[in-house]
Amino acid sequence: AGLNYEITVAYDGKPQRPDGASLAGGIFWLQDKQGNPWIETVTQGAGASLWWPCKDHLSDKPDSMRIRVSVPKGMTNISNGVLRRQTESRTHTTTEWYVSYPITTYCIALNIGDYVHLTDQRLRGSDTLKLHYYSKPYDLEQGRKLFRHVKPMLSVFEKYFGPYPFSRDGLTVMESIYPMEHQGAVTFGSLFNPFNSDRYDSADILRTMWHEVAHEWWGNHITVKDYADMWVHEAFATYAEALAYR
């Protein structure tokens, strides 16, 4: 008692691929419309220990996270929190992200691909919330239209749910393979649905974004202790969809 120890764990393997029918999580390894790799971790329900060693239970959260990832040059990785540094070698790009708040293990995320990065900020009194948006280069026009709704959405959520709970880490909203409420790095899925098709439903993608961002309050900030009660998270996020339509 009272002593600190550091443990290093070496591990390797091939994490399972998600099953969309059963919502069993894993890592998606797909390609975008231009044939570039597109990778996303989705482990809600199945557990984050599918791909990194952790105490994998909703009743306890790491108090912070450092996420360091190397990917082939030309790709980028977007994870949770603040991008502390990005370095380039001859063959790879390495990003280091830092989460300064407690975080549920299944919310730790990798989003790897070819992305366009847009930045904005939201002023709230004397506080400034940094906003980051990512979309595929060929979806940028539709992405800009969607991202214009983020600030009004946050105003509604703060009216009903309270202040945005992760202000130091900012908020990232991004296009992805699959929609998911990864803390501080919310994904709303592909702008075109079905995935990589030419079908675009502006109302449905807006509804999805409101649902997933609502989980920042319900699921990420306030978290149930057992998977049997996950319906509480989803109920509040579904209520947020009604707020979006209203």
Side-chain angles (χ1 to χ4, degrees), residues 67-73 77 87 89 92-96 112:
I67 308 163
R68 186 175 182 270
V69 181
S70 293
V71 297
K73 207 161 189 177
N77 170 65
T87 57
S89 71
H92 285 77
T93 299
T94 300
T95 54
E96 183 178 309
I112 299 169

Side-chain angles (χ1 to χ4, degrees), residues 58-144:
L58 295 179
S59 64
D60 196 11
K61 301 179 182 182
D63 63 9
S64 59
M65 287 290 298
R66 184 176 69 92
I67 308 163
R68 186 175 182 270
V69 181
S70 293
V71 297
K73 207 161 189 177
M75 298 291 102
T76 189
N77 170 65
I78 299 99
S79 287
N80 318 76
V82 175
L83 179 60
R84 278 186 162 180
R85 60 182 59 88
Q86 179 170 313
T87 57
E88 306 280 346
S89 71
R90 186 175 57 86
T91 58
H92 285 77
T93 299
T94 300
T95 54
E96 183 178 309
W97 298 80
Y98 183 72
V99 181
S100 65
Y101 294 88
I103 183 168
T104 306
T105 51
Y106 76 74
C107 280
I108 306 299
L110 307 182
N111 295 278
I112 299 169
D114 179 23
Y115 281 103
V116 175
H117 178 203
L118 305 174
T119 60
D120 200 354
Q121 60 183 20
R122 178 171 177 266
L123 300 178
R124 187 184 60 196
S126 60
D127 296 328
T128 300
L129 177 65
K130 293 183 178 179
L131 302 171
H132 299 272
Y133 308 134
Y134 292 88
S135 78
K136 306 302 286 184
Y138 48 79
D139 291 341
L140 185 57
E141 180 182 353
Q142 289 80 8
R144 288 183 184 275

Side-chain angles (χ1 to χ4, degrees), residues 1 3 86 100 168 231:
L3 297 178
Q86 179 170 313
S100 65
R168 291 193 304 270
W231 67 270

Side-chain angles (χ1 to χ4, degrees), residues 6-75:
E6 183 175 296
I7 299 173
T8 300
V9 179
Y11 61 100
D12 64 81
K14 294 183 178 180
Q16 71 183 26
R17 295 170 183 261
D19 179 0
S22 65
L23 297 181
I27 299 183
F28 286 102
W29 306 86
L30 300 177
Q31 291 183 328
D32 65 17
K33 288 182 181 180
Q34 297 177 336
N36 296 308
W38 201 0
I39 299 163
E40 181 188 10
T41 57
V42 177
T43 60
Q44 181 179 344
S49 52
L50 280 171
W51 68 280
W52 64 281
C54 58
K55 183 180 179 182
D56 203 7
H57 201 276
L58 295 179
S59 64
D60 196 11
K61 301 179 182 182
D63 63 9
S64 59
M65 287 290 298
R66 184 176 69 92
I67 308 163
R68 186 175 182 270
V69 181
S70 293
V71 297
K73 207 161 189 177
M75 298 291 102

Side-chain angles (χ1 to χ4, degrees), residues 40-45 106-109 111 172 174 176-189 208-209 211-213 215-216 220 230 234:
E40 181 188 10
T41 57
V42 177
T43 60
Q44 181 179 344
Y106 76 74
C107 280
I108 306 299
N111 295 278
T172 292
M174 61 183 299
S176 64
I177 297 171
Y178 190 84
M180 189 61 196
E181 68 264 22
H182 298 132
Q183 182 174 310
V186 177
T187 60
F188 51 75
T208 301
M209 182 179 74
H211 179 105
E212 300 302 341
V213 174
H215 280 303
E216 293 285 77
N220 299 349
M230 290 284 283
E234 298 304 328

